């Protein structure tokens, strides 16, 4: 992958970080994005590959377009975009939910994916080449209790992915999504606003997926021959049957 440039949003943690580690080992050129600069700096320091860092909030439209438009010339050709940044905020019934949580999910998970994609695709369309992988979720395929707006945001990612695949079809650009079940990352710490005990209780009853499991599946989506598109992967822990059914440890 030495001449392949991959842009990963949300590379500072969890799935994005594990994906960056995987592609760094393969020698890809990496554009790593996030808001926590010190974490991105740490990755750049240890990776034995070319790395360019971008610090922006995916929900900030002008920050997204400025970051992509001002990339140095040698980083302007992006072969693979991995739209991974996103989070859940809260787990409450609609009637009790916090509107700031809703805004954060719609702005980050939905508009963020759309802005970053829109900023990056012109050069893919021009070159008639490229690949886009969006992080959906089992929550984007099935709604679970109190998941309401997080589920809506991930359903939107699924619809946007399908729309992109149709619109970019004439240009030979591959578009797919990956829909993981429970993955043990900082996701629940963010969802529950730093409540460690509540966060641990999400993963404790089962053997959850690890970020590396999702990264390996993304690696597979990228590794197939150019005439093959993996449109969707739904990746669940063996202990999880769907969005709500878990084989809990005794
Ligand atoms: P995580 O460890 O909390 O990582 C989330 C990443 O997204 C961080 O790097 C964070 O970076 C970045 N991010 C969040 N909001 C952002 C914003 N507004 N602007 C820029 N960057 C932002 O969680 P994760 O589990 O790896 O989540 C990655 C993706 O997988 C998300 O889209 C999530 O919805 C999806 N997913 C997760 C699970 C799960 O169970 N964990 C299951 C299905 C799908 P900064 O804070 O540094 O900006």
């Amino acid at each position: 992958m030495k001449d392949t440039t991959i842009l990963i949003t949300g590379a500072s943690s969890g799935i994005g970080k594990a994906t960056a580690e995987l592609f760094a080992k393969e020698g890809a050129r990496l554009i790593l994005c996030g808001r926590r600069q010190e974490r991105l700096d740490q990755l750049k320091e240890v990776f034995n590959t070319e790395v360019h860092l971008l610090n922006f909030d995916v929900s900030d439209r002008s920050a997204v377009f400025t970051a992509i438009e001002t990339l140095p010339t040698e980083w302007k050709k992006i072969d693979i975009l991995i739209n991974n940044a996103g989070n859940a905020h809260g787990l409450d019934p609609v009637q009790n939910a916090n509107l700031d949580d809703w805004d954060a999910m719609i702005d980050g998970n939905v508009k963020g994916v759309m802005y970053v994609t829109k900023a990056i695709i012109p050069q893919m369309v021009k070159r008639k080449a490229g690949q886009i992988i969006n992080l959906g979720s089992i929550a984007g395929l099935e709604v679970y209790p109190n998941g309401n707006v997080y589920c809506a945001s991930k359903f939107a990612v699924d619809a946007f992915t399908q729309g992109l695949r149709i619109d970019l079809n004439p240009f030979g650009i591959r578009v797919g999504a990956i829909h993981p079940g429970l993955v043990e990352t900082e996701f629940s710490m963010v969802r529950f606003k730093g409540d460690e005990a509540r966060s641990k209780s999400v993963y404790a009853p089962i053997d959850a997926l690890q970020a590396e499991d999702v990264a390996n599946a993304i690696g597979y989506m990228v590794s197939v021959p150019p005439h093959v598109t993996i449109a969707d992967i739904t990746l669940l822990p063996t202990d999880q049957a769907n969005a709500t059914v878990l084989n809990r440890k005794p």
Side-chain angles (χ1 to χ4, degrees):
M1 302 205 79
K2 290 221 174 319
D3 295 324
T4 305
T5 301
I6 306 178
L7 185 146
I8 305 172
T9 64
S12 56
S13 169
I15 295 166
K17 180 177 172 212
T19 305
E21 285 165 347
L22 179 93
F23 288 129
K25 280 190 201 128
E26 296 188 13
R29 305 173 79 238
L30 298 175
I31 304 175
L32 304 180
C33 313
R35 294 166 300 182
R36 285 170 290 180
Q37 184 65 39
E38 66 291 350
R39 289 198 180 201
L40 297 175
D41 289 338
Q42 281 166 12
L43 294 181
K44 185 171 177 171
E45 217 173 278
V46 297
F47 284 175
N48 192 16
T49 191
E50 272 184 90
V51 175
H52 185 77
L53 304 179
L54 289 180
N55 187 326
F56 60 85
D57 183 331
V58 293
S59 66
D60 182 337
R61 182 167 147 179
S62 70
V64 169
F65 282 87
T66 301
I68 302 304
E69 281 162 11
T70 59
L71 275 169
T73 316
E74 67 274 22
W75 289 98
K76 279 194 187 297
K77 176 179 160 285
I78 295 164
D79 299 291
I80 301 170
L81 162 62
I82 301 174
N83 275 314
N84 162 77
N87 274 120
H89 298 275
L91 183 68
D92 302 297
V94 170
Q95 58 278 19
N96 300 344
N98 178 324
L99 282 172
D100 291 337
D101 284 345
W102 285 7
D103 283 344
M105 290 187 280
I106 297 299
D107 292 349
N109 302 357
V110 185
K111 291 183 183 173
V113 170
M114 294 172 179
Y115 295 156
V116 174
T117 304
K118 188 83 164 79
I120 287 174
I121 53 175
Q123 51 86 31
M124 288 187 178
V125 168
K126 206 167 163 191
R127 292 186 294 111
K128 295 196 168 168
Q131 181 168 14
I132 300 168
I133 297 174
N134 294 335
L135 256 291
S137 170
I138 188 70
L141 306 176
E142 293 171 55
V143 179
Y144 53 81
N146 302 325
N148 45 68
V149 174
Y150 177 65
C151 294
S153 76
K154 290 299 184 179
F155 270 69
V157 170
D158 187 37
F160 184 62
T161 305
Q162 293 184 43
L164 263 182
R165 192 163 50 245
I166 294 167
D167 295 349
L168 298 179
N169 177 262
F171 306 102
I173 298 168
R174 303 196 286 184
V175 181
I178 180 155
H179 305 286
L182 283 174
V183 193
E184 199 166 355
T185 62
E186 293 174 21
F187 179 86
S188 289
M189 282 292 279
V190 174
R191 171 168 248 175
F192 300 126
K193 304 180 195 318
D195 183 337
E196 208 165 324
R198 199 171 172 202
S199 171
K200 279 197 174 135
S201 75
V202 172
Y203 307 111
I206 64 160
D207 285 330
L209 293 173
Q210 300 301 307
E212 293 71 24
D213 298 319
V214 184
N216 287 336
I218 292 171
Y220 172 65
M221 293 170 88
V222 164
S223 73
V224 294
H227 70 285
V228 179
T229 289
I230 309 291
D232 289 287
I233 291 184
T234 302
L235 194 73
L236 300 172
T238 304
D239 285 338
Q240 182 176 14
N242 64 15
T244 49
V245 177
L246 299 179
N247 181 21
R248 291 172 190 277
K249 287 179 204 151

